[in-house]
Amino acid sequence: MSATVSQIDELKTTPWSGGKSPFNIEYGKMMMWFFLLSDAFTFSSLLISYGALRFSASAWPAADKVFQSVPLTSIEQGAPLVFVGIMTFILIMSSVTMVLAVEAGHRNAKKEVLGWMVATIIGGLMFLGCQALEWTHLHHEGFWWSSIPTNLETLKEFFHGEPAVAAQQMSAHQFANLFFTITGFHGFHVFSGVIINIIITINVLVGTYERRGSYLMVEKVGLYWHFVDLVWVFVFTFFYLV
């Protein structure tokens, strides 16, 4: 009998018994990491598909020509990547405010958490607004889902060199489909993050986490928001730089 008890005690002290590090992570946070990992696979497959088409095509729209204007201004050319640079800066700054919200939560500083969460929400909404402007502008330029641009004089302005007309149309069609699908999928994640952040902010306002004695939910949402920010770095690199 004593041998059996000692064997049970020994099993309880093994790493797999859920004791100390590295298995002492909170359940909800672990599930968030699993979700982010699966989401990373989805974005990776989309970006790999873009890369495969991009480097196998005989012609491809040049980023410095497609994204050379600034919506809502008189700048129509000569300013490559300026607008998307502003978008990227906004999203990175919203990630910084989220870090500050999580840090304030560790100190149980309710007012600071509330302020930084509101700043994060504003940053997310500004990014979505900029993305809507960019989409509208590209649509006016002739890029859109499942449509092959027919204005050949305008279309050739987006390419380096003089590729064949058929190659221009096909690559522009593929570029548009992948661009709007991937950036739209990312935009949906940003929109979802904004909605979740609003819910969390309301809970902070009414004192839900203060009563619990922990702002762990803010940290979980922060993981999601940082993931969205990181994905944008890859989207930015693939579409706007390469």
Side-chain angles (χ1 to χ4, degrees), residues 23-97:
F23 301 101
N24 60 345
I25 186 172
E26 192 266 342
Y27 176 79
K29 189 185 293 187
M30 182 172 63
M31 292 300 102
M32 176 60 78
W33 278 112
F34 282 147
F35 167 73
L36 296 181
L37 181 62
S38 64
D39 219 19
F41 288 141
T42 303
F43 275 106
S44 297
S45 63
L46 290 171
L47 291 173
I48 290 171
S49 298
Y50 172 81
L53 286 173
R54 163 70 177 83
F55 292 105
S56 63
S58 59
W60 199 258
D64 60 338
K65 291 181 174 292
V66 175
F67 305 106
Q68 65 176 331
S69 59
V70 181
L72 296 182
T73 70
S74 59
I75 302 176
E76 293 297 330
Q77 58 183 357
L81 308 183
V82 170
F83 190 69
V84 71
I86 295 172
M87 292 173 58
T88 304
F89 177 77
I90 291 172
L91 194 60
I92 290 175
M93 289 307 299
S94 73
S95 193
V96 172
T97 57

Side-chain angles (χ1 to χ4, degrees), residues 12-241:
K12 288 181 178 180
T13 60
T14 63
W16 296 103
S17 62
K20 296 183 178 181
S21 181
F23 301 101
N24 60 345
I25 186 172
E26 192 266 342
Y27 176 79
K29 189 185 293 187
M30 182 172 63
M31 292 300 102
M32 176 60 78
W33 278 112
F34 282 147
F35 167 73
L36 296 181
L37 181 62
S38 64
D39 219 19
F41 288 141
T42 303
F43 275 106
S44 297
S45 63
L46 290 171
L47 291 173
I48 290 171
S49 298
Y50 172 81
L53 286 173
R54 163 70 177 83
F55 292 105
S56 63
S58 59
W60 199 258
D64 60 338
K65 291 181 174 292
V66 175
F67 305 106
Q68 65 176 331
S69 59
V70 181
L72 296 182
T73 70
S74 59
I75 302 176
E76 293 297 330
Q77 58 183 357
L81 308 183
V82 170
F83 190 69
V84 71
I86 295 172
M87 292 173 58
T88 304
F89 177 77
I90 291 172
L91 194 60
I92 290 175
M93 289 307 299
S94 73
S95 193
V96 172
T97 57
M98 178 59 82
V99 169
L100 295 172
V102 173
E103 189 276 332
H106 290 161
R107 295 185 283 105
N108 292 320
K110 177 182 175 180
K111 289 184 178 180
E112 292 185 38
V113 174
L114 186 62
W116 291 123
M117 288 298 295
V118 170
T120 303
I121 292 169
I122 292 173
L125 291 174
M126 290 176 64
F127 177 85
L128 290 172
C130 290
Q131 190 171 58
L133 288 173
E134 184 182 50
W135 276 32
T136 302
H137 176 75
L138 289 175
H139 179 53
H140 290 160
E141 293 289 342
F143 294 99
W144 199 240
W145 269 302
S146 301
S147 61
I148 298 178
T150 56
N151 189 339
L152 301 181
E153 290 301 317
T154 301
L155 185 61
K156 67 181 183 181
E157 296 177 0
F158 301 117
F159 291 83
H160 289 304
E162 295 291 338
V165 171
Q168 290 182 18
Q169 289 182 313
M170 181 56 66
S171 61
H173 174 59
Q174 293 173 337
F175 169 82
N177 282 343
L178 286 165
F179 176 82
F180 290 114
T181 297
I182 295 175
T183 59
F185 191 47
H186 176 267
F188 173 75
H189 278 70
V190 176
F191 176 77
S192 301
V194 168
I195 297 301
I196 296 171
N197 282 340
I198 291 174
I199 296 172
I200 297 299
T201 302
I202 293 173
N203 286 337
V204 172
L205 185 62
V206 300
T208 300
Y209 308 125
E210 191 175 32
R211 289 191 296 270
R212 292 180 185 176
S214 171
Y215 284 83
L216 185 60
M217 279 301 299
V218 176
E219 185 174 351
K220 294 176 188 176
V221 175
L223 290 174
Y224 176 83
W225 196 256
H226 298 322
F227 170 78
V228 169
D229 192 10
L230 179 62
V231 168
W232 179 252
V233 172
F234 286 96
V235 173
F236 175 81
T237 301
F238 272 67
F239 280 102
Y240 298 92
L241 295 182

